[in-house]
Amino acid sequence: MALRLWLGFGVTVVTLNGVVLTLGLLMPSLWPPFGPATMLLPGRWGWWYPLPAPVSGAALVAVVWGAGALMADLAPRLLGPSPAERLAEMEERTERLLERTRLARELHETIGHALTIAVVQVGAARAAGTPEFTDRALAAIEDTGREALSELDRVLRLLREDADPTAQRSTLAHAGRLDESARGAGADVT
């Protein structure tokens, strides 16, 4: 802010002096009270004063335009992001955090479900004591473990890469596997 203030002060000084210089060069030929006698080079040299007036005016316009362009270019860097940009960034960050929280909850539910089924299957196999049931229970544990590892891999990949979280999300088409897994664990599913 101080840099912009000092730059504005400098442009004001240059502008005022430029206007005075330009008018001072033009006045001897435009208004008789400011004739060549009041100028530094009186007499026969007074005719040249209006000649540099356009150069002075052009320099004045260039300084004002350049200072305006410089201030417009420096403003975003010096003042930082606008409130709208900061709000948009915070909303985007909030969305990412909410999605990560949802993924963590989904991962917790998936792994917790898989471990519960595995524990129930092991307990049921131990209690049943028949080789057929034990083989079926071990197969269900193996399937459940593979699905859990696959889901864990999917969620971890999403957390690492900021990929589209809906790309590989489980759908109702996967409900059959969940049903078979629960039935294999000995649950009565309707």
Side-chain angles (χ1 to χ4, degrees), residues 10-27:
V11 169
T12 301
V13 169
V14 169
T15 302
L16 291 176
N17 285 325
V19 169
V20 169
L21 175 64
T22 303
L23 289 177
L25 290 171
L26 288 174
M27 289 309 279

Side-chain angles (χ1 to χ4, degrees), residues 54-142:
V55 174
S56 171
L60 177 64
V61 169
V63 165
V64 171
W65 179 82
L70 179 65
M71 283 186 189
D73 187 46
L74 287 177
R77 285 184 253 164
L78 294 176
L79 298 176
S82 70
E85 291 170 334
R86 286 194 305 254
L87 181 62
E89 182 181 330
M90 287 173 52
E91 286 175 349
E92 182 179 320
R93 183 172 178 245
T94 301
E95 287 298 320
R96 282 194 314 263
L97 289 174
L98 287 172
E99 184 59 26
R100 287 182 184 273
T101 302
R102 188 195 64 74
L103 287 172
R105 186 174 47 246
E106 184 178 316
L107 180 64
H108 178 264
E109 289 172 2
T110 302
I111 299 300
H113 171 74
L115 289 175
T116 301
I117 288 178
V119 168
V120 168
Q121 288 285 2
V122 168
R126 184 174 290 142
T130 64
E132 311 83 44
F133 188 83
T134 302
D135 286 342
R136 217 171 64 225
L138 289 174
I141 292 170
E142 183 180 15

Side-chain angles (χ1 to χ4, degrees), residues 25-26 28-29 35-37 39 41-53:
L25 290 171
L26 288 174
S29 61
M39 303 303 279
L41 298 172
R44 61 185 171 141
W45 296 101
W47 62 269
W48 74 271
Y49 283 116
L51 295 178

Side-chain angles (χ1 to χ4, degrees), residues 152-167:
L152 176 64
D153 184 48
R154 179 187 75 82
V155 173
L156 290 178
R157 194 172 336 109
L158 288 174
L159 289 173
R160 280 189 214 118
E161 298 174 356
D162 280 342
D164 181 16
T166 61

